[in-house]
Amino acid sequence: MSRRKNKHPKRAVNVKTVVVASAVEEREEREREERVLCLRIPDEDDDFEANHQIQKEETTFKKKGAKRKRTQQHECDVCEMTCRDSYALKVHMRIHTNERPYECDVCDKAFRQSQHLKTHMRIHTKEKPYECDVCEKRFTRSGSLQSHMRIHTNEKPYECDVCEKRFRHFQGLKRHMRIHTNEKPYECDVCEKRFRESGKLKLHMRIHTNERPYECDMCEKRYRHATSLKYHMRTQH
């Protein structure tokens, strides 16, 4: 049986091209992954705002039911975070193991990363390499400078999703949220009164300790709070 000659050879080529392109698109679609942001609250080692304030670590997650790609070999078996290489995974694992191999030889404080130790050492050396180009105030960390600049720019990137109040720093938003949740994590170990902020607890403890750190330099009367001394100075002297 003889083969029929195609009357429209160009059309056949076009059809083949469409089929190939469709197959490529399907393969790319199967391999495409959803990319989401994994939010991690920074710990005491991190440079808050830049390396330590809330950090966004871009993490890869597979679609439900999809096969895991063979190229993703550096995945944490605890939280499934995907790291760019084996070293990054090794450093990440210290979050789970709490391993802190880098120790300050001045105060013995230990850190997970060498860069965190390097930043910490500036506390002892008084080195402040980051300077504000508006008011010339200097900082030990780039993140601290970045946070400071919001005073000049009035930038408030952190917004309360309940009342829409905005804050310059993540910690300010975090403290504010306790108003809505009525969370009071700080408790007095004497009278069990609870507070939203650690500073409020510290002030409260002076009632029990009778500590009065603020002294009038004219009559030597002492006060628990700076505001009380300020009022005394305005009304008595």
Side-chain angles (χ1 to χ4, degrees):
M1 187 174 178
S2 61
R3 187 175 180 180
R4 290 183 62 185
K5 187 176 181 181
N6 188 0
K7 297 180 180 181
H8 307 284
K10 291 186 178 180
R11 184 178 300 174
V13 172
N14 292 338
V15 171
K16 183 178 179 182
T17 302
V18 171
V19 171
V20 171
S22 177
V24 171
E25 290 175 357
E26 289 179 0
R27 185 170 67 254
E28 291 178 347
E29 181 65 26
R30 287 196 303 269
E31 294 177 352
R32 189 176 294 117
E33 298 167 334
E34 287 184 59
R35 304 190 71 82
V36 299
L37 291 178
C38 175
L39 301 181
R40 179 168 66 82
I41 301 298
D43 60 20
E44 61 182 2
D45 291 351
D46 294 329
D47 188 351
F48 191 73
E49 301 291 348
N51 189 23
H52 93 157
Q53 143 233 283
I54 245 178
Q55 295 183 4
K56 294 181 179 180
E57 297 178 344
E58 191 174 37
T59 310
T60 304
F61 288 85
K62 272 64 67 181
K63 287 185 177 180
K64 189 175 181 180
K67 290 184 178 180
R68 184 172 297 179
K69 292 178 68 177
R70 293 181 180 275
T71 55
Q72 295 179 352
Q73 299 175 355
H74 309 292
E75 183 178 285
C76 173
D77 57 6
V78 178
C79 67
E80 298 185 357
M81 176 180 169
T82 303
C83 301
R84 64 182 180 273
D85 52 43
S86 59
Y87 178 77
L89 176 60
K90 180 181 177 180
V91 172
H92 165 79
M93 287 303 296
R94 292 171 186 158
I95 296 173
H96 304 299
T97 62
N98 201 32
E99 180 189 3
R100 297 169 185 262
Y102 303 99
E103 184 176 296
C104 173
D105 56 5
V106 178
C107 65
D108 296 334
K109 190 172 183 180
F111 301 87
R112 296 189 187 104
Q113 299 184 36
S114 59
Q115 182 59 42
H116 295 163
L117 173 58
K118 182 179 179 180
T119 302
H120 165 79
M121 288 305 296
R122 293 173 183 154
I123 297 174
H124 303 300
T125 62
K126 306 296 182 182
E127 179 189 2
K128 295 183 178 182
Y130 304 100
E131 180 180 295
C132 173
D133 56 6
V134 179
C135 65
E136 298 183 358
K137 188 173 182 179
R138 303 187 68 91
F139 301 88
T140 57
R141 302 177 181 181
S142 59
S144 300
L145 172 59
Q146 183 180 350
S147 299
H148 165 80
M149 289 303 297
R150 292 174 184 154
I151 297 173
H152 302 300
T153 63
N154 201 32
E155 180 190 3
K156 297 182 179 183
Y158 302 100
E159 180 178 298
C160 173
D161 56 6
V162 179
C163 66
E164 297 183 357
K165 188 173 181 180
R166 302 185 70 92
F167 300 87
R168 292 191 184 102
H169 313 298
F170 174 75
Q171 287 294 340
L173 173 59
K174 185 178 178 180
R175 286 192 298 268
H176 166 79
M177 288 304 296
R178 292 173 186 152
I179 296 173
H180 302 300
T181 62
N182 202 33
E183 180 190 3
K184 296 181 178 181
Y186 304 101
E187 181 181 299
C188 173
D189 56 7
V190 178
C191 66
E192 298 182 358
K193 188 173 181 179
R194 303 187 69 91
F195 300 89
R196 294 191 185 99
E197 301 177 22
S198 59
K200 299 292 186 183
L201 173 58
K202 183 179 180 180
L203 293 176
H204 165 80
M205 288 303 296
R206 291 173 183 163
I207 297 173
H208 303 300
T209 62
N210 200 32
E211 180 189 3
R212 297 171 184 265
Y214 302 99
E215 180 181 316
C216 174
D217 55 5
M218 299 183 72
C219 66
E220 297 183 356
K221 192 170 184 178
R222 303 184 70 90
Y223 296 89
R224 293 192 186 102
H225 312 298
T227 53
S228 300
L229 174 59
K230 187 176 180 180
Y231 177 79
H232 166 80
M233 293 297 294
R234 187 172 67 248
T235 58
Q236 301 299 320
H237 303 292

